[in-house]
Amino acid sequence: MKTIDSLLLSNINKNICVFFLYFIFFLVLFFQFPYHGSLPGHWDTWLHLSLYNYYWDYFKSMFSNHEIYYAMWPSQVPYFRYGEMSLLSAVLYWPFKWIIKNDLWAYYVHISSIYALVGFSMYQLSSLFVGSRVLAAIGGLLLVTSNYYLASIDQVNVISAYPGILCFYFILKWYKTKKINLLYIASILYGLQIYASGYLFFYLNIVLLGLGLFYWNTIFKLKNFKHIISAIFIGILI
């Protein structure tokens, strides 16, 4: 008979495998871009790539006192004036840049990882509603290969819904199991969504507000209502 620890380890290993299957799929699908010396987009892709490097240069300047250069010279307007900060996406990009040392190939791996994260998060959410992991994985794949997602490859801030989807997953998981740690994980993911996409953070608030209003009587009667307030506070604080 399997122990709880062995079952938990088994689930973790399966989830890791599912994520890497998504990751490999998009590495193959998007390989055409760097192979032909191209980025996967135009204006917004250049903006995000410049923004990621600007953040890193700014961070280094805090310790070296080096001057920060702007790719949009002669304009001295900070990049985030042209769009969203996308700080979380920048943090995800930096390790690829450090390892690969090439913006073209690093961005290719980066955008593949974003699609893989979104597909994996939808896989997790779908698993709450279907009994088959295969069907849940197909659900995630259908989302990230939809016309909307593939057409938005130029806009990382539009497709980076993975914190919000995972937030929704952990909230539903908490509601079913009443495990408080899941609620706090959801609150952290809620707070992180704004650093991935302000647009999607706005829509996440609408969805959660509707969910809260629909289940308000049930939530108010829960014994751990104070934990709910604490989780909301943590999410806002982040």
Side-chain angles (χ1 to χ4, degrees), residues 20 60 113-114 165-166 217:
F20 276 102
K60 290 191 297 183
S113 69
I114 295 292
I165 297 175
L166 286 174
N217 289 333

Side-chain angles (χ1 to χ4, degrees), residues 22 32-33 48 68 78 83 145 164-165 167 184 188 237:
Y22 283 124
Q32 56 188 301
F33 296 118
H48 284 289
I68 303 174
T145 56
I165 297 175
C167 170
Y184 286 109
I188 294 172
L237 188 63

Side-chain angles (χ1 to χ4, degrees), residues 11-31:
N11 286 331
I12 292 174
N13 290 336
K14 288 178 181 178
N15 287 336
I16 291 174
C17 288
V18 170
F19 170 77
F20 276 102
L21 284 174
Y22 283 124
F23 190 37
I24 293 170
F25 174 83
F26 283 106
L27 284 174
V28 174
L29 182 64
F30 296 150
F31 180 74

Side-chain angles (χ1 to χ4, degrees), residues 48-230:
H48 284 289
L49 187 56
S50 299
L51 183 63
Y52 300 160
N53 288 322
Y54 168 76
Y55 278 142
W56 181 242
D57 289 340
Y58 183 85
F59 177 75
K60 290 191 297 183
S61 71
M62 296 171 63
F63 303 95
S64 63
N65 295 319
H66 287 170
E67 185 178 356
I68 303 174
Y69 294 95
Y70 293 82
M72 294 182 182
W73 187 90
S75 172
Q76 294 297 306
V77 177
Y79 294 114
F80 52 80
R81 296 279 185 88
Y82 294 97
E84 292 194 53
M85 297 183 298
S86 301
L87 182 58
L88 181 58
S89 297
V91 172
L92 293 176
Y93 171 78
W94 291 339
F96 300 131
K97 175 65 179 293
W98 298 334
I99 295 171
I100 301 174
K101 309 294 184 182
N102 180 286
D103 281 314
L104 181 66
W105 287 92
Y107 195 86
Y108 149 69
V109 179
H110 169 66
I111 196 69
S112 299
S113 69
I114 295 292
Y115 274 83
L117 282 169
V118 175
F120 176 76
S121 62
M122 182 52 70
Y123 154 75
Q124 289 286 75
L125 182 59
S126 300
S127 68
L128 296 178
F129 302 97
V130 295
S132 169
R133 287 183 179 271
V134 174
L135 291 178
I138 292 174
L141 186 63
L142 288 175
L143 172 65
V144 287
T145 56
S146 63
N147 289 341
Y148 171 79
Y149 257 83
L150 291 180
S152 301
I153 192 173
D154 190 35
Q155 300 170 305
V156 174
N157 55 315
V158 173
I159 64 175
S160 297
Y162 54 93
I165 297 175
L166 286 174
C167 170
F168 197 48
Y169 162 76
F170 280 107
I171 287 175
L172 294 179
K173 190 83 171 177
W174 158 75
Y175 188 76
K176 291 176 64 176
T177 64
K178 301 301 184 292
K179 294 181 179 179
I180 296 300
N181 62 315
L182 299 178
L183 182 62
Y184 286 109
I185 293 174
S187 69
I188 294 172
L189 290 164
Y190 167 82
L192 289 176
Q193 179 62 74
I194 195 171
Y195 298 105
S197 173
Y199 302 119
L200 298 177
F201 179 73
F202 172 76
Y203 291 117
L204 176 62
N205 278 283
I206 294 177
V207 172
L208 293 180
L209 179 61
L211 189 69
L213 291 174
F214 187 79
Y215 289 105
W216 175 251
N217 289 333
T218 305
I219 292 174
F220 188 76
K221 293 177 182 177
L222 291 175
K223 296 180 180 178
N224 296 308
F225 184 71
K226 62 179 181 180
H227 290 290
I228 299 175
I229 300 300
S230 298

